[in-house]
Amino acid sequence: PPNILFLFSDDHAPEAISAYGPSLVETPNIDRIAEKGIVFRNCFCVNSLCTPSRAAILSGTYSAVNGVRVIGNSFDGSQETFPKFLQNAGYQTALLGNWHLYAEPTGFDYYHIVKGLGAYYNPRIKSREDTRTDGQGKHRIEGYFTDIITDMTIDWLENRDPSKPFCLLVHHKAPHTPYKHPAAYDSILEGRVLPEPKNFDDDFRGRNPVLANDSCGWSKLQYIKTGHFHNPIPGNLVLGTQEYKEWALQKVLKGYHRLVASMDENIGRLLDYMEDEGLDRNTIVRYSSDNGFFLGEHGLFNKQWMYEESIRIPMIIRIPGRNYRGKMAGELVSELDLAPTLLDYAGAEIPAGFQGSSLKPLIEGRAGDRWRKSFFYHYYGQFDVPEHWGIRTEEY
């Protein structure tokens, strides 16, 4: 059976991956996955918020079924998840990095996770096996989160049980705020005035009464707090003004893409190790994120809203022994499809309760016209964004 390397990020929009087209920074290592793999152009999350999206991927079910509708809801670890079915099929399973499901992980033989989103510098790590403790079962590790998780991943690969196939989940914090990164990345995009999106000054009139009202502090760039940047506001700027909005866009774009560059470099370190050890020859490599992200489109920051930039996520899959030459797949794909896809390739049982479909027939050109023509989205309301739901079709 093939090994599975499950690379996962937080808030990474496809627009910030050069395999998807022109980007402010190149992502040569994520692009390495795409070179022989499949790039899904229309993959969507079912609930554009970190915790609910992670629960949906793990359980293969919508938020209404798995019970995680907003941040703060705890994931019920007794329900069916794809790692449990891989364990039943003889896989060794491991999870490293950002968990963010407010519950103890189940279905994993090994895990190293952080509390909540974790800190970028000197994060506190909780391990299933670790006896070191600060009273909460966690210990602090010196260094930068992205580097630490990559080091831990390589260490686990070196010490795994080689007699079993593995499923390894590597969950990065990047490029989620705050925009803290090693000084080596300070020069990226420095000195440039980055272009504003064409709809940067969208007024939403007649289309979105909440955003048309001059509020929504969690969504609009002109109200973004400086805690995301860890820089003071220049003295001549006033929160809520056009000048502040334009300044904030530059800070977001530069900080965000510097985190992307750091993460991409570490993904390259891991891919190099896999190749040096020959593991790439029988390992499915998948890259994705929990949700999309507004990078100034509609004048917005963050996610949640059912606009394309918020709900569309990257999905890149490389299958060992097959060269798909970076094929761009345009079909409507859901994050719910990931769990049945991995189980299908592993030859494991696919639970009847999973609400997605295996991508294997689509990847192999056998889906025909039986593939879905529409996609359902439901946001349950949090962070100044009201509950809303809708349908995404091929045309609308």
Side-chain angles (χ1 to χ4, degrees), residues 10 36 82 87 136 154 158 173 321 323 361 389-390:
D10 198 321
K36 294 183 179 180
F82 77 85
Q87 281 183 322
Q136 295 181 305
I154 293 173
E158 289 180 338
K173 175 181 173 69
N323 187 350
W389 54 90

Side-chain angles (χ1 to χ4, degrees), residues 108-334:
F108 297 98
D109 301 305
Y110 177 94
Y111 60 77
H112 261 70
I113 58 173
V114 294
K115 179 181 179 180
L117 287 169
Y120 270 117
Y121 282 97
N122 308 328
R124 289 194 302 155
I125 303 287
K126 180 177 182 178
S127 169
R128 178 171 179 170
E129 295 80 10
D130 210 321
T131 57
R132 292 170 289 180
T133 179
D134 60 1
Q136 295 181 305
K138 301 179 180 69
H139 67 278
R140 193 175 301 280
I141 295 183
E142 297 293 317
Y144 184 64
F145 189 108
T146 310
D147 299 333
I148 290 169
I149 295 304
T150 304
D151 291 342
M152 285 184 169
T153 300
I154 293 173
D155 181 69
W156 183 85
L157 285 168
E158 289 180 338
N159 293 281
R160 74 189 191 284
D161 181 352
S163 69
K164 295 181 178 181
F166 64 80
C167 176
L168 173 58
L169 279 60
V170 183
H171 288 196
H172 286 283
K173 175 181 173 69
H176 194 285
T177 60
Y179 299 131
K180 287 187 171 184
H181 49 78
Y185 299 92
D186 286 348
S187 61
I188 293 175
L189 302 177
E190 190 62 24
R192 290 179 56 184
V193 177
L194 304 174
E196 297 172 354
K198 292 179 180 179
N199 58 4
F200 184 60
D201 291 317
D202 193 344
D203 62 12
F204 303 100
R205 296 188 190 280
R207 293 179 291 109
N208 189 322
V210 177
L211 286 171
N213 185 346
D214 193 22
S215 58
C216 286
W218 284 86
S219 296
K220 290 189 171 182
L221 271 171
Q222 58 264 44
Y223 296 108
I224 184 175
K225 302 297 189 295
T226 56
H228 294 292
F229 318 123
H230 292 273
N231 293 109
I233 303 174
N236 62 328
L237 290 181
V238 178
L239 193 72
T241 63
Q242 180 70 17
E243 291 76 16
Y244 187 96
K245 177 182 175 182
E246 293 170 359
W247 170 83
L249 175 69
Q250 299 298 315
K251 300 295 290 186
V252 166
L253 290 179
K254 292 176 182 179
Y256 182 93
H257 285 89
R258 289 164 184 167
L259 290 175
V260 169
S262 169
M263 179 178 65
D264 184 77
E265 185 173 300
N266 274 276
I267 288 173
R269 281 209 295 137
L270 179 54
L271 294 178
D272 287 346
Y273 174 84
M274 298 281 290
E275 292 173 7
D276 290 344
E277 298 296 316
L279 292 173
D280 60 309
R281 292 194 289 270
N282 190 38
T283 299
I284 295 171
V285 181
R286 167 267 190 193
Y287 181 81
S288 189
S289 185
D290 51 0
N291 43 253
F293 201 75
F294 292 110
L295 294 170
E297 296 90 356
H298 305 283
L300 300 179
F301 164 81
N302 226 328
K303 53 262 186 182
Q304 293 112 1
W305 292 102
M306 193 186 174
Y307 289 107
E308 193 82 354
E309 298 85 2
S310 169
I311 68 172
R312 195 165 73 101
I313 62 175
M315 177 77 84
I316 304 172
I317 300 177
R318 188 174 73 191
I319 308 298
R322 304 296 298 270
N323 187 350
Y324 291 102
R325 303 182 185 279
K327 174 185 174 183
M328 285 277 186
E331 290 84 356
L332 296 179
V333 170
S334 166

Side-chain angles (χ1 to χ4, degrees), residues 39-58:
V39 180
F40 293 92
R41 289 190 292 107
N42 289 310
C43 182
F44 301 98
C45 63
V46 300
N47 184 346
S48 187
L49 201 58
C50 303
T51 302
S53 181
R54 291 164 188 273
I57 289 174
L58 197 64

